[in-house]
Amino acid sequence: DVEAEAGVDKVEYKMDGPIRNFNATVTDSPYSYEWNRFSFGKYTLTVILYDKDGKTASDSIEVYIFNI
């Protein structure tokens, strides 16, 4: 779930890993993205929220993906 006092403009998802890197931008609620690509190994998922005032907030997590 994401929210911002000024309202959410968009959310970016970035996956960086050993096989591929991927970026996706979502502009409509519920601001979710489904990862459904061949990949395995340790990845870093970063989510960046942009609000309507131009402010940003981000968070990252390391995950292991085994999707073949």
Side-chain angles (χ1 to χ4, degrees):
D1 291 329
V2 298
E3 57 185 66
E5 284 185 29
V8 176
D9 183 42
K10 65 182 176 181
V11 176
E12 286 185 355
Y13 294 90
K14 297 182 178 189
M15 293 287 283
D16 298 316
I19 294 178
R20 65 175 67 213
N21 296 329
F22 182 78
N23 296 327
T25 301
V26 180
T27 57
D28 296 318
S29 182
Y31 306 104
S32 64
Y33 181 79
E34 183 177 325
W35 178 265
N36 193 15
R37 298 172 186 267
F38 171 80
S39 52
F40 63 90
K42 184 174 154 181
Y43 284 77
T44 301
L45 169 62
T46 302
V47 178
I48 306 166
L49 171 110
Y50 296 83
D51 77 5
K52 294 187 186 240
D53 285 342
K55 296 178 185 173
T56 63
S58 65
D59 200 3
S60 296
I61 188 172
E62 289 186 346
V63 296
Y64 289 90
I65 298 175
F66 298 96
N67 191 17
I68 48 177

